[in-house]
Amino acid sequence: MVSAIVTARATTVDYSRRMPVLLDLRGAKSSDVTIGTSPISELQACLHSLAEPDHHLDSQSWLMKIDASLPRELRHRLTRFAPLWARRRCRLLLPLSPPLDVEVETEIDRVAHLPEQAFVEAAAYAIQGGSFDPRGAVTRPDEFIAACEARSFSRGELARSLTDDPEAFRGILVRTLEDSVEEFFAKEWGRIQSRLRDEADQTRSRLHGLPLAELISSVSPAARPVQDGRGVRFDKLQNLTVPLRGNHIFLVPSVHGRPHLIVRGEPGFPVVVNYPVAWRGQPPSIDEVRRRLTVLSDPARLNLCRHLVNEAITTSDLARRTNMTRPQVSRHLAQLRSAGLLTSERSGRYVYHRVDVQHLMQIGVELLRVIVR
């Protein structure tokens, strides 16, 4: 999932078409890029995973363990504040200012001391979901609350508590973040911090050898340079433009953020690209997933898979079983092999084929990743 706001908040979003988020690099330079880790971003990714576990199949065992260990009162607060990180990540829980690579306590302290209006607007945008100008939470609180109630009762209640007493709201949120660090995040951050630092170091080393657009695009298969290097396109369901001119951009890797890619560009804050680190190889692009689904959509190839899933079979035997010629079977097998779904092994004079069940099952996971990314 990608989240972003353009400088002109009145921009109309057409959700009927698949459109990109465009990072406009005109006037930007390499020195505008800062690469590093952000523990509060990773904490938000963990909280999102707890709120939306179906998006994070790779972390199911960890999520179940953490959820079972949470004190009841903290679980209640996490549920209450879940709109801040469930669908649209809250800008408060991404790095607010340089430097990166600081302790989580430092980043939480920045949230605690952000000017009140900036705090309210950032929280309001996440609570409502983006279709209401967050400045209205200060100037038109009743309309803001009604817009949130239209989404859900819990969002309406959270919006009301924000507008009624912003500092009390902030105090409870900060305490919730601090308690989450103590209960589970400090241990998890100790486990993954070195991996994230290694990823940041590798990305930083590429800065010297790549043009700016290629450097930013290199962090995700969902991104690519466009307009002769004057922009980066993120293939997502928003029609938004994020200008970089006169601003800084933070490239922040995430483990628990997989498979989501977050791009944020609210006025008054640095642009943030919070990108997932590949754990077992880089996730496929949407075009690669579409190609594998196309291969499987053919009735003849799908029928071959039904024969090949339980036993290894030769080309001749497959032709006999399916009433196809050997050349026809060979062509279909080549398509399955090109999609990474077939293994073949020679035994004497014969070659035996079999469906790679693990890769076949992985297609569902990959499809989910590209949908929610």
Side-chain angles (χ1 to χ4, degrees), residues 129-146:
S131 61
F132 187 90
D133 187 338
R135 291 172 294 188
V138 177
T139 60
R140 307 190 311 279
D142 290 342
E143 293 181 29
F144 167 64
I145 293 170

Side-chain angles (χ1 to χ4, degrees), residues 115-182:
E116 183 177 291
Q117 182 168 340
F119 174 86
V120 170
E121 289 184 6
Y125 178 73
I127 293 171
Q128 200 282 323
S131 61
F132 187 90
D133 187 338
R135 291 172 294 188
V138 177
T139 60
R140 307 190 311 279
D142 290 342
E143 293 181 29
F144 167 64
I145 293 170
C148 292
E149 287 177 338
R151 295 285 312 280
S152 70
F153 175 80
S154 60
R155 288 179 185 270
E157 288 297 293
L158 196 60
R160 190 179 302 278
S161 64
L162 173 66
T163 56
D164 284 350
D165 193 339
E167 290 308 318
F169 180 101
R170 187 191 330 226
I172 299 173
L173 174 61
V174 167
R175 180 161 61 89
T176 300
L177 298 176
E178 292 172 340
D179 289 348
S180 297
V181 171
E182 181 177 352

Side-chain angles (χ1 to χ4, degrees), residues 53 66 94 131 173 215 229 236 248 339 350:
I66 297 304
L94 293 168
S131 61
L173 174 61
L215 167 70
K236 296 296 171 180
H248 287 82
Y350 300 100

Side-chain angles (χ1 to χ4, degrees), residues 213-215 217 223-229 231-233:
E214 293 184 24
L215 167 70
S217 301
R224 63 183 177 88
V226 294
Q227 301 175 354
D228 295 325
V232 174
R233 170 187 167 133

Side-chain angles (χ1 to χ4, degrees), residues 78-362:
L78 291 177
T79 300
R80 177 191 176 195
F81 284 107
L84 290 177
W85 47 72
R87 178 181 179 272
R88 191 179 296 275
R89 311 298 177 84
C90 185
R91 184 62 184 82
L92 297 169
L93 305 185
L94 293 168
L96 298 174
S97 60
L100 298 177
D101 300 313
V102 298
E103 299 297 323
V104 68
E105 291 79 9
T106 299
E107 292 195 297
I108 293 176
D109 188 64
R110 292 173 183 169
V111 176
H113 291 91
L114 193 68
E116 183 177 291
Q117 182 168 340
F119 174 86
V120 170
E121 289 184 6
Y125 178 73
I127 293 171
Q128 200 282 323
S131 61
F132 187 90
D133 187 338
R135 291 172 294 188
V138 177
T139 60
R140 307 190 311 279
D142 290 342
E143 293 181 29
F144 167 64
I145 293 170
C148 292
E149 287 177 338
R151 295 285 312 280
S152 70
F153 175 80
S154 60
R155 288 179 185 270
E157 288 297 293
L158 196 60
R160 190 179 302 278
S161 64
L162 173 66
T163 56
D164 284 350
D165 193 339
E167 290 308 318
F169 180 101
R170 187 191 330 226
I172 299 173
L173 174 61
V174 167
R175 180 161 61 89
T176 300
L177 298 176
E178 292 172 340
D179 289 348
S180 297
V181 171
E182 181 177 352
E183 287 292 333
F184 66 88
F185 182 72
K187 180 179 179 180
E188 183 63 9
W189 181 249
R191 185 181 75 86
I192 65 176
Q193 182 179 12
S194 61
R195 172 166 176 77
L196 291 173
R197 284 183 172 173
D198 288 345
E199 169 66 25
D201 288 342
Q202 293 173 23
T203 305
R204 197 178 295 114
S205 69
R206 295 196 295 264
L207 181 63
H208 302 291
L210 288 177
L212 182 58
E214 293 184 24
L215 167 70
I216 295 172
S217 301
S218 72
V219 302
S220 171
R224 63 183 177 88
V226 294
Q227 301 175 354
D228 295 325
R230 296 191 300 274
V232 174
R233 170 187 167 133
F234 298 91
D235 192 10
K236 296 296 171 180
L237 281 175
Q238 284 110 330
N239 184 14
L240 302 172
T241 298
V242 180
L244 189 55
R245 182 192 297 271
N247 203 348
H248 287 82
I249 180 170
F250 293 156
L251 301 184
V252 180
S254 173
V255 168
H256 285 278
R258 300 190 310 263
H260 302 298
L261 172 71
I262 311 299
V263 181
R264 301 300 293 269
E266 289 94 327
F269 296 104
V271 176
V272 175
V273 177
N274 190 207
Y275 65 94
V277 174
W279 195 259
R280 290 183 292 273
Q282 189 72 356
S285 68
I286 192 170
D287 291 331
E288 290 173 309
V289 172
R290 186 186 298 114
R291 184 174 68 85
R292 291 171 187 171
L293 292 174
T294 300
V295 167
L296 287 173
S297 68
D298 182 273
R301 286 193 284 273
L302 194 58
N303 187 37
L304 287 174
C305 287
R306 297 183 66 191
H307 289 279
L308 293 166
V309 74
N310 293 317
E311 60 178 320
I313 309 175
T314 65
T315 302
S316 297
D317 197 12
L318 282 169
R320 179 181 59 79
R321 295 188 188 191
T322 59
N323 293 320
M324 287 191 285
T325 65
R326 286 189 60 188
Q328 287 175 323
V329 171
S330 294
R331 286 194 294 271
H332 288 307
L333 293 178
Q335 289 290 319
L336 292 170
R337 189 178 296 108
S338 71
L341 302 175
L342 187 74
T343 61
S344 301
E345 183 176 345
R346 179 174 291 279
S347 178
R349 295 190 299 116
Y350 300 100
V351 177
Y352 291 85
H353 312 286
R354 188 164 187 168
V355 163
D356 189 324
V357 176
Q358 291 300 316
H359 282 185
L360 188 63
M361 293 175 63
Q362 191 67 17

